[in-house]
Amino acid sequence: MGRTLFDKIWDEHVVADLGNEVALMHVDLHLMHDLGGGPGFRMLAEKGYRVRNPELTFATADHAVSSAPGRTEDTNPVGGRLLRMLRAASAANGIRMFDLGSDGQGIVHVIGPEMGLSLPGMTIVCGDSHTCTHGGVGALAFGIGSTELVHVLATQTLVQRRPRRMRVTMDGAPAAGVTPKDMILHLIGLVGAAAGSGFAVEYAGAAIRALGVEGRLTICNLSIELGAKIGMVAPDDATFEYIAGRPMAPKGEMWERALAHWRNLNSDGDAEFEREVRFDSGALAPQVTWGTSPEHVIAIDGRVPDPDGAIDAGRRASMRAALEYMDLKPGARLEGLPIERVFIGSCTNSRLSDLRAAARVAKGAKVASRVRAWVVPGSTGVKRAAEAEGLDRIFRDAGFEWREPGCSLCVGANGEMVDPGKRCVSTSNRNFVGRQGPGARTHLASPVSAAAAALAGCLVDVRKLGVEPWKNS
Amino acid sequence: MEEFVRLRALAAPLMRDNIDTDVIIRIDRLVGGRPDEVGKYAFELLRYLPDGGENPDFVLNREPFRRAQILLAGANFGCGSSREPAVWALQQMGFRCVVAPSFGDIFFANCFQNGMLPVVMERRTVEAIAAEVEADAAHGFVTVDLQKQTIVSPSGKEFRFEIEPARREALLHGLDEIGMTMRREAEIAAFQSRDRNRRPWIYR
């Protein structure tokens, strides 16, 4: 029987078979960030271990740094302390760090692919659940906790259970105004936020093949919101073109060897998946969340569902609590709902293609007076590239704030939050209770929907603005 | 790591789906906070009122549930962020076992690193145990036996659960995974030496 993409990468990384589908796996790349990095090194030292393979470990600062224009490392004082801990520990352990202001600094899931660190066929881990993002280049990547992080530092391996395999096939071609973010949000709404629990997900189909790597990274990023800690797309020519020439990518003869290897990374025709899901991306409308789980999502022209229609008591309870927190009623329309904040950024949607798409919507228009709108590029590299083509000017002229790279408003770990009771249209990945600040009400949406909401001052159907189809960069 | 063999304790029902790790412990309590003090902030936005007082409506603030050591939860418990302090926060509240229809994968793995037992049970079974507990909370004692892989409800109904053998073994004996892997150094070195020839671009 054929093997899936996941199986091929998994099998290649087994250091020891521990029986019952448990294996000691080699970790090819370990990425660290400011929030978990310093504490991780401290735990390592407390346990009396040392870093086994510093050359396979890279660090950057993203979670706790301020995104304020002109920031210093102490703009957020707690973040400054975490940054210095990480810097000192990285230096002491021989680990390369992409520090504030340098090329390569940025959200860890943006810089990995951008710097050519994240490559097809690799096992990649990071103490952050959105590590699944790197599956967009065809890597087997997943988030880990602090004890597992120490395990990786000390041994360059992890004990893992082989997950079941799920394939999600997205057919067709999305309409104008429908982006990779809408495709993955729709999927989560369709199958639920726990559907991927225990699975590694492979995204396939014409709509995925047509996407550039940045769109695939967005799709894979939300795998964890589907419940799956691993999401991936088989690498193809688009992937190889994206990686070629990046600072840390293989070069010359090494590139040719790597490429020959990567061309085998795909699911065999007769490979079997324990679960298959399929839908037509051509039938989708722009998606927006109404509640406090990413599964609480509807089309922008739809209506908020009634909890009484849910089958399970647990789901009903979750929906009722969400409606109360979000101050919404069953049957309500989201279109026209007034908002106060817009956040375009995060490891989901802060890459150049995201900013270009949002800028096309913002160009020549004005942010509504009731709205404070932020654009936070995902990395120093994205920021420079965007500025080189004048995107910052388009955003600023329209009344958006153009900020410094980091996790910013996605995570509430850097002093940047949405005030209690305020509504924020956010291109991030979590609409959890209090995620953007205590009492903050988050509506997840695509970069173009978020930009359109900033201009309108309310949730709006971006298709009515005559938006262009999604473009890959 | 602390062993988990058998536990007879009060159970508390928190029967709502999708309790995420942000709800279990807010990230701003982790930034600059002490890992041994996260318990008092567990479920912060549900547990406390805006003025800092306890929310009397929150189930874990009510007697006898504030003394519970077993948490009965809805589906997808611990979804979201990989933050391991979510497990520490529950432990510092006194919990040693969570029973739910499904868990966030990373939270589930983190539990086993800390001597916390996550038990997957069918939704209707968790709901049935929760209903018994709610009907007579003061006598809502549930027994979780990892050796026998059973849960016994307050009225004596016994349910079997599945658990992966290596994880069961590690919990029963409090084994430290890192220590066990350190003993495989020769295998790791051999793997890397083979792999370096096969995939030299990995080793930068």
Side-chain angles (χ1 to χ4, degrees), chain A residues 12-16 18 20 22 24 26 28 35 49 52-53 56 78 82 116-117 121-122 127-129 143-148 150-151 155-157 159 161 193-194 197-198 227 229 248 254 257-258 261-262 293 295 312-315 317-318 321 411-413 417 430 432 434-435 438, chain B residues 15-18 20-23 26-28 30-33 35 45-46 74-76 79-85 88 102-106 109-110 113-114 123 127 164-167 176-179 181-182 184-185 187-189 191-192 194-204:
Chain A
E12 199 167 53
H13 288 85
V14 174
V15 171
L18 307 180
N20 291 306
V22 184
L24 186 66
H26 189 258
D28 295 341
L35 192 63
Y49 300 126
R52 191 184 187 288
N53 286 99
L56 303 184
V78 191
L82 285 167
L117 287 168
M122 267 186 166
D128 187 280
S129 60
I144 55 176
S146 351
T147 309
E148 287 182 322
V150 174
H151 195 290
T155 69
Q156 205 55 39
T157 63
V159 177
R161 279 80 196 154
S197 181
K229 74 175 182 179
M248 302 296 291
M254 199 69 100
R257 285 185 69 177
H261 186 86
W262 297 341
S293 162
E295 73 180 19
D312 306 308
R315 184 165 289 205
S318 156
V411 69
M417 295 199 204
R430 289 191 174 136
F432 296 165
R435 172 81 179 185
Chain B
M15 299 302 294
R16 182 200 291 184
D17 287 2
N18 302 321
D20 59 73
T21 53
D22 273 79
V23 163
R26 291 182 47 70
I27 203 159
D28 42 341
L30 307 181
V31 182
L45 295 180
L46 302 174
N76 210 18
C79 60
S81 159
S82 58
R83 61 192 69 167
E84 195 160 314
W88 306 339
S102 59
F103 290 89
D105 283 353
I106 304 175
N110 287 340
Q113 302 286 354
N114 290 279
R123 188 191 280 273
E127 282 174 355
E164 190 239 305
R167 279 177 156 157
D176 168 42
E177 199 173 79
I178 302 177
T181 300
M182 291 298 281
R184 294 183 177 268
E185 170 53 32
E187 285 167 87
I188 299 169
F191 175 91
Q192 286 193 340
R194 280 195 312 274
D195 197 40
R196 218 176 265 278
N197 288 325
R198 210 167 33 120
R199 301 185 309 148
W201 61 89
I202 297 296
Y203 300 85
R204 310 178 198 256

Side-chain angles (χ1 to χ4, degrees), chain A residues 397-411:
Chain A
D397 288 351
F400 289 82
E401 290 178 40
W402 177 252
R403 298 175 67 93
E404 295 291 331
C407 298
S408 185
L409 260 188
C410 169
V411 69

Side-chain angles (χ1 to χ4, degrees), chain A residues 30 32-43 60 62-63 82 85-86 127-128 146 149-150 153:
Chain A
H30 179 197
M32 302 184 77
H33 56 75
D34 49 352
L35 192 63
F41 283 116
R42 196 169 53 203
M43 267 176 84
T60 192
D62 56 6
H63 279 67
L82 285 167
M85 264 173 84
L86 180 64
D128 187 280
S146 351
L149 184 156
V150 174
L153 285 175

